[in-house]
Amino acid sequence: MSGQPASARRVGMEVSIAVSYAVQMARAEAIAAYPITPQTHIVEHLSSLVANGELEAEFINVESEHSALSACIGMSAAGARTYTATSAQGLALMHEILFITSGMRFPIVMTVANRALSAPLSIWNDHSDIMAARDIGWIQVFVKNGQEAYDHTLMAFKIAEHPEVLLPTIVNLDGFILSHVVEALEFLSQEDVDAFLPPYQPKYRLDPKKPVTMGAFAMPEIYTEVKYAHQVALSNSYGHILRVWDEWAGLTGRHYRPVESYLTEDARILFLTMGSLTEVAEVAVEEMRAQGLPVGLLSLRLWRPFPFDALREAVKGAELLIVCDRALSAGGPGGPVHSEVRNCLYPLETKPATVNYIIGLGGRDVPPKAFHDILARARQEAESGPTGEFFLYGVRG
Amino acid sequence: MLEIRFHGRGGQGAVTSVELLALAAIHEGKYAQGFPSFGPERRGAPVLAFLRINDRPIRLRCKIAHPDVVLILDPSLIRIQKPAADLKPQGIVVLNSPKSPSEIRREFGFTHKLALVDANTIAREVLGVPITNTTMLGALLKATGVVRLESLEEPLKERFGPLAVKNFNALKTAYERTVVEEARS
């Protein structure tokens, strides 16, 4: 499965390989990565594309993820279109550099093949890795299938590199559940990608002939203002994200929104999911509708910047919102997504009650039945009052 | 939608088979989803691989609990994994074995539709090695007709290069030699 995709076409391949082709088609110029399950196939394939001369890029093999992102910063500072990918412990090991990347406003694109954090050691999927990196100041999106992984990888470069955005961007892709699946996807032609995504033109770059200082320290007199500028940029990136997604819709017919709705018309009960849970939930919600139950589905595509207005609009008319998290904030209010959703809805005068179900931790299988079970329990809770801050679905003992 | 679960041992190529068949189905314009039972791969340990094929996009992102077909690369797994226990009543057991359908039914108590082929012998004859994953695809196609034989040529070529022809011949031989017997009550 090598060779440059030459024209728009339907292909079958593993999603990780499709992501690596998206990076190739984006004409990434610089990559540094350290292999970690389940991200491995993405960077392995990219490394062979570079080695075979099919992608003209600098590929730096490093000894850790801390170094991977540090090397990416250097290459991005030099003005290169830069990419990396990681998972779980790798993302955790990058943690320090994640903040530096966004604070220095380098438009690096990273795929996170989401995986549970140790201990106990688990190579399987959940969102504990990315939720522990919630506050890193990057743009963050979630995808629900292979096509979206391909699409959002390409769009991420365009969003990140916009001169008014200049923020690193993470595309979250459920490890194994998506990364290791062979499925059908549609590839754009290289010509279309080139027209959509022109070369990166950095305003400032490290250049011995034109020296600049990057990453200078900030005295207390300026630190708050720099943080404020970062917050404003991340918040304002929202409009640019929508514009890029609209442009993509014109090109492909696939239209992405920060909060997406499925069968929500007249729905009194809504599920809210992220990532690959969404398609399984779609199947379950269709079954519920067929039983005459007034149930719909929201999926949160954009995690940062958080789509406050879109979510407030999307829950209108619902009486109950069932938020499905794939991570647990131990000792806290349950799942991080529910925590933020409740926060977002709190100022509304009329709002749905919310309940929080945590599912699919550490690779636990989530079939449509899980959503039926959750619905039954949530409706009971809605009648007789919640039984706790959250419920860990399927837990034994 | 057709849901197929492959039962093999690490190194026997169950995951490769699933990928090849998924690509063949996609090549025919269908939708397919092929994935392994995610885990640390260990040579010789029992492994599962999953395949869904449909005319519409596939949205299930979970394991296959009640397959339409189970394909068993290694008969020694039958007693360990009981692959037919959760097979749909109209389901099919595709098995690599030199035995006759009645012997197999007597030995394992299968009542489902059976497709049997001695893939070990074919693989030794045609490929020169007892690796049966591509050979067994021939039996699967005989039992289900889920894709055309020739749709596998291109995926085999991409995967195996010059060895693709031998693999395709093994698959064709298995297709010809597979014995299919309807379900018994």
Side-chain angles (χ1 to χ4, degrees):
Chain A
M1 268 186 285
S2 61
Q4 179 133 351
S7 59
R9 66 184 204 277
R10 188 173 187 265
V11 296
M13 67 176 66
E14 189 187 282
V15 172
S16 287
I17 307 300
V19 169
S20 69
Y21 278 128
V23 175
Q24 180 202 30
M25 294 176 89
R27 300 191 188 278
E29 297 163 297
I31 301 160
Y34 188 81
I36 178 168
T37 303
Q39 150 267 38
T40 323
H41 292 180
I42 301 173
V43 294
E44 271 177 2
H45 196 69
L46 273 171
S47 141
S48 60
L49 288 175
V50 172
N52 294 341
E54 294 171 67
L55 171 62
E56 246 182 86
E58 194 70 44
F59 190 107
I60 303 186
N61 285 303
V62 286
E63 86 297 347
S64 75
E65 288 83 359
H66 190 282
S67 297
L69 192 54
S70 299
C72 284
I73 283 183
M75 297 190 285
S76 187
R81 176 169 287 164
T82 306
Y83 174 83
T84 187
T86 194
S87 294
Q89 310 309 122
L91 186 66
L93 188 53
M94 277 181 183
H95 198 67
E96 175 189 0
I97 316 299
L98 292 169
F99 289 83
I100 295 174
T101 312
S102 60
M104 291 179 71
R105 310 283 300 274
F106 290 123
I108 294 167
V109 171
M110 171 155 68
T111 305
V112 177
N114 300 119
R115 161 186 154 181
L117 281 173
S118 297
L121 176 60
S122 167
I123 57 166
W124 291 274
N125 167 261
D126 69 29
H127 291 169
S128 55
D129 56 1
I130 195 61
M131 290 303 155
R134 188 191 60 174
D135 297 333
I136 56 177
W138 292 45
I139 294 169
Q140 297 190 33
V141 299
F142 280 80
V143 300
K144 68 178 181 186
N145 58 35
Q147 184 68 59
E148 292 191 357
Y150 170 85
D151 290 358
H152 282 276
T153 303
L154 282 164
M155 289 189 285
F157 286 102
K158 179 140 179 162
I159 293 165
E161 292 170 1
H162 190 284
E164 285 172 35
V165 175
L166 286 182
L167 284 166
T169 300
I170 286 175
V171 178
N172 285 290
L173 161 76
D174 280 321
F176 285 121
I177 297 172
L178 296 180
S179 66
H180 282 53
V181 175
V182 173
E183 62 184 38
L185 310 102
E186 199 180 283
F187 272 14
L188 259 65
S189 69
Q190 185 65 55
E191 295 69 38
D192 282 346
V193 172
D194 288 343
F196 171 79
L197 183 65
Y200 172 40
Q201 287 181 316
K203 207 165 173 187
Y204 305 102
R205 67 172 87 202
L206 289 181
D207 180 353
K209 289 187 209 117
K210 221 176 138 190
V212 288
T213 297
M214 290 185 179
F217 95 132
M219 296 286 281
E221 288 75 17
I222 196 70
Y223 185 85
T224 304
E225 284 67 28
V226 176
K227 290 286 114 179
Y228 177 63
H230 184 174
Q231 157 63 22
V232 169
L234 189 49
S235 177
N236 287 350
S237 70
Y238 190 82
H240 296 288
I241 292 167
L242 294 195
R243 273 192 287 282
V244 170
W245 288 358
D246 287 347
E247 191 186 340
W248 191 260
L251 200 59
T252 66
R254 294 186 290 275
H255 201 187
Y256 299 111
R257 310 302 301 160
V259 179
E260 288 169 12
S261 304
Y262 187 71
L263 300 181
T264 51
E265 203 175 320
D266 302 326
R268 295 211 304 276
I269 303 172
L270 294 171
F271 279 98
L272 186 141
T273 56
M274 290 163 95
S276 66
L277 282 179
T278 300
E279 291 198 325
V280 184
E282 284 174 12
V283 173
V285 165
E286 274 173 25
E287 292 165 356
M288 291 163 191
R289 283 283 180 165
Q291 294 165 17
L293 297 167
V295 182
L297 172 67
L298 302 179
S299 63
L300 199 54
R301 172 171 307 287
L302 188 61
W303 178 232
R304 285 293 184 275
F306 193 89
F308 292 97
D309 292 340
L311 184 63
R312 287 171 185 152
E313 186 62 32
V315 299
K316 269 190 187 159
E319 292 159 14
L320 179 65
L321 179 65
I322 305 169
V323 179
C324 299
D325 261 284
R326 212 163 199 163
L328 169 66
S329 171
V337 179
H338 178 248
S339 200
E340 300 221 348
V341 165
R342 194 155 57 167
N343 183 311
C344 167
L345 302 184
Y346 185 76
L348 297 182
E349 267 182 41
T350 312
K351 54 185 172 264
T354 68
V355 288
N356 187 202
Y357 284 78
I358 294 168
I359 51 178
L361 294 188
R364 184 74 62 90
D365 202 37
V366 183
K369 180 183 177 296
F371 293 95
H372 290 281
D373 293 347
I374 287 171
L375 178 70
R377 198 179 182 283
R379 290 172 89 192
Q380 217 167 30
E381 270 194 297
E383 265 180 38
S384 52
T387 52
E389 292 294 329
F390 65 92
F391 186 72
L392 203 49
Y393 173 76
V395 71
R396 299 188 299 269
Chain B
M1 181 159 64
L2 191 75
E3 294 186 302
I4 308 173
R5 195 174 59 207
F6 286 61
H7 295 250
R9 290 183 180 277
Q12 289 181 336
V15 177
T16 303
S17 303
V18 157
E19 182 170 331
L20 290 168
L21 203 52
L23 294 176
I26 292 166
H27 182 72
E28 288 186 1
K30 296 187 170 93
Y31 292 88
Q33 195 188 63
F35 55 100
S37 60
F38 316 123
E41 291 81 1
R42 294 145 294 170
R43 189 164 284 270
V47 295
L48 298 178
F50 304 94
L51 179 67
R52 293 189 172 100
I53 297 178
N54 202 356
D55 296 329
R56 294 179 295 137
I58 299 162
R59 293 173 299 172
L60 291 174
R61 301 281 172 187
C62 47
K63 291 175 190 167
I64 295 172
H66 300 290
D68 299 289
V69 182
V70 289
L71 185 147
I72 305 159
L73 288 173
D74 187 334
S76 73
L77 290 167
I78 297 173
R79 298 217 183 276
I80 308 168
Q81 295 189 324
K82 304 200 175 3
D86 53 8
L87 186 60
K88 283 181 189 150
Q90 306 78 13
I92 310 172
V93 176
V94 182
L95 177 62
N96 168 20
S97 172
K99 295 179 183 167
S100 72
S102 53
E103 278 177 288
I104 291 293
R105 287 192 193 281
R106 222 176 10 252
E107 197 173 339
F108 300 110
F110 291 143
T111 53
H112 290 89
K113 184 173 172 180
L114 273 182
L116 292 180
V117 71
D118 182 4
N120 286 20
T121 300
I122 296 171
R124 274 202 204 91
E125 274 173 24
V126 182
L127 300 171
V129 284
I131 298 174
T132 59
N133 63 332
T134 49
T135 309
M136 282 301 289
L137 287 178
L140 180 70
L141 297 198
K142 181 74 164 280
T144 63
V146 64
V147 298
R148 295 186 298 274
L149 273 181
E150 55 273 21
S151 298
L152 275 155
E153 272 181 296
E154 196 56 40
L156 282 168
K157 218 181 292 172
E158 273 198 35
R159 180 75 189 214
F160 296 112
L163 291 174
V165 177
K166 274 188 176 182
N167 278 278
F168 190 66
N169 287 341
L171 188 157
K172 262 199 312 201
T173 309
Y175 184 88
E176 284 152 14
R177 292 192 198 165
T178 297
V179 177
V180 180
E181 193 190 79
E182 291 305 318
R184 293 282 171 85
S185 52

